């Protein structure tokens, strides 16, 4: 007896000639074809697309897959469907599951795929052409070109999320257009996305409808399966208020980080911060630079992504004719990395490369001794308070911060100033550093004096990268976590960078607002 195989195929948007050869072969070899239906619709479009490629004797099962899927508490309908599929596979039949468009793209198949993991049969997924790809080719409308950023947006997302997407995208694919069409149209218009919008319903099917004049579409003409392709009007950029304005000066914010090759923490901290900067300053183009040569080299080797150094990023901005450049370091202290950054900026300042070149402060810079200046250290302590653990009653919990530190650099004393403020605020927190004067040994002594029972470790760095993952929380004997565990404490490590705390992102945003022209940049107080 043959072994039953499960194949999920994308049948494309409607034209039966847009199936892949692999999908056609799977259909031809199928014993059973499953045409999924939701409760809402009674005809299977996917089946009518696949039909010309199926043998007449192939059995068709039209199963209802409810839209709602909970892996933990499967509904009866899902359980029953799994039972039916399993039975067919165990009987040695080849089962093909149909999906409109592509199986891994907003599809019921994604849940079916998850559901069948461990079913004991081979599972294969065959990609399909999505509606937006077909529309683009059919109507001669490029999806993305050059450096364009494309967002694929289900129109069902919240208005807040949609506003953020509209602020940072060059081109859009909008799907699941539904009842709130009028509201959606107004938002697109506001952000300059209405002029080139093309809306297509039932793409590639005989009843295909094309609306080239987006502004005159009536809400009742819009069906759930409509897709909109659009790009931002070239002369319009969004503003904080969301009202389109004509671009004049070319302005950029260069976010300069040490960088990290740990992708997850980079996404959770640096990407997020840069995105928030872009949303907060929509008439600036937010660019990235990493100061660490090692990190840049590793990202290039491992991910094939080239990240600019500060020098390279500034060169490109100059070549591209930017008028105003604001550099915001994401560093914690004005240490070595910060010095390297200001050195790089000096050249551009002296050459008059930009009409305006500004620099924002790192997290810890001003002490607030000068009238009109805030105390960065106290603000950092306040931000930190939002992420401190709740102490269980009767248990002595103490927090150790892992700062990076910069041994021998004058700015290393920023960590002492931070510690002073933590103590003033009466917080049970000790600042130690990896490479600075405040050592882990001192933290251990402090814990003893404090008679701590439970210890929470957290990085005082933008990202939870190498230092946090290895030196702080790694499994090796000499990690902070291992040493403290060995010493009898109940230890927890918080593997989140400061960038994951909205209060710290807010500080960076504030420092952008308070950036000063480069020449007038006074050295930070702790230097
Ligand atoms: Co380091």
């Amino acid at each position: 007896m043959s072994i039953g195989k499960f194949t999920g195929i994308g049948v494309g948007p409607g034209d039966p000639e847009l199936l892949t050869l692999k999908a056609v072969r799977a259909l031809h070899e199928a014993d059973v074809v499953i045409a999924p239906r939701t409760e809402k619709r009674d005809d299977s479009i996917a089946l009518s697309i696949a039909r010309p490629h199926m043998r007449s004797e192939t059995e068709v099962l039209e199963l209802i897959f409810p839209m709602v899927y909970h892996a933990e508490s499967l509904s009866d309908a899902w359980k029953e469907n799994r039972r039916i599929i399993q039975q067919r596979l165990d009987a040695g039949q080849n089962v093909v599951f149909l999906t409109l468009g592509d199986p891994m793209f907003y599809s019921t198949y994604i849940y079916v795929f998850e559901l069948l993991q461990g079913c004991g049969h081979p599972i294969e997924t065959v990609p399909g052409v999505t509606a937006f790809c077909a529309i683009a080719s059919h109507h001669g409308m490029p999806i993305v070109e050059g450096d364009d950023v494309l967002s694929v947006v289900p129109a069902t997302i919240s208005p807040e999320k949609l506003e953020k997407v509209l602020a940072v995208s060059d081109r859009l694919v909008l799907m699941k257009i539904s009842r709130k069409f009028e509201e959606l149209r107004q938002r697109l218009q506001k952000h300059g996305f209405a002029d080139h919008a093309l809306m297509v319903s039932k793409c590639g099917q005989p009843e295909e409808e094309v609306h080239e004049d987006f502004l005159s579409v009536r809400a009742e003409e819009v069906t759930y399966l409509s897709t909109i392709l659009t790009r931002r009007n070239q002369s319009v950029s969004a503003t904080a208020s969301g009202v389109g304005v004509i671009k004049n000066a070319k302005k950029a914010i260069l976010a300069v980080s040490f960088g990290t090759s740990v992708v997850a923490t980079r996404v959770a901290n640096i990407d997020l911060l840069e995105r928030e900067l872009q949303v907060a300053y929509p008439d600036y183009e937010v660019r990235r630079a990493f100061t660490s040569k090692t990190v840049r080299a590793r990202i290039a080797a491992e991910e094939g992504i080239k990240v600019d150094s500060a020098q390279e990023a500034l060169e490109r901005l100059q070549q591209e004719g930017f008028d105003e450049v604001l550099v915001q370091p994401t560093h914690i202290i004005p240490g070595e990395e910060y010095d390297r950054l200001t050195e790089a900026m000096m050249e551009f300042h002296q050459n008059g490369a930009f009409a305006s070149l500004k620099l924002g402060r790192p997290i810890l810079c001003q002490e607030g001794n000068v009238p009109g200046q805030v105390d960065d250290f106290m603000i950092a302590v306040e931000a930190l308070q939002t992420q401190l653990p709740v102490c269980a009653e009767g248990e002595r919990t103490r927090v150790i911060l892992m700062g990076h530190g910069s041994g021998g650099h004058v700015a290393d004393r920023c960590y002492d100033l931070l510690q002073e403020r933590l103590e003033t605020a009466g917080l049970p927190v000790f600042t130690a550093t990896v490479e600075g004067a405040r050592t882990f040994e001192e933290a251990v002594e402090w814990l003893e004096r404090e008679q701590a029972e439970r210890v929470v470790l957290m990085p005082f760095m933008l990202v939870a990268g190498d230092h946090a993952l290895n030196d702080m929380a790694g499994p090796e004997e000499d990690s902070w976590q291992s040493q403290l565990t060995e010493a009898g404490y109940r230890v927890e490590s918080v593997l989140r960078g400061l960038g994951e705390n909205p209060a710290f992102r807010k500080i960076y945003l504030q420092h952008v607002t308070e950036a000063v022209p480069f020449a007038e940049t006074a050295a930070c107080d702790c230097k």
Side-chain angles (χ1 to χ4, degrees), residues 258 337 404-405 434-435 461 466-467 471:
F258 178 81
E337 298 298 322
H404 192 281
V434 196
E435 288 174 32
M461 306 180 195
D466 231 345
H467 287 305
D471 305 339

Side-chain angles (χ1 to χ4, degrees), residues 271-311:
D271 290 14
L272 180 59
L273 173 62
E274 290 173 359
R275 243 188 350 259
E276 278 197 2
L277 283 170
Q278 186 63 81
V279 171
Y281 299 94
D283 43 354
Y284 285 76
E285 188 172 326
V286 174
R287 297 256 177 119
R288 158 182 298 181
F290 287 176
T291 52
S292 166
K293 202 173 175 180
T294 316
V295 168
R296 292 199 310 272
R298 203 175 296 169
I299 292 173
E302 289 173 3
E303 300 171 58
I305 298 171
K306 188 189 174 307
V307 181
D308 284 341
S309 67
Q311 171 84 25

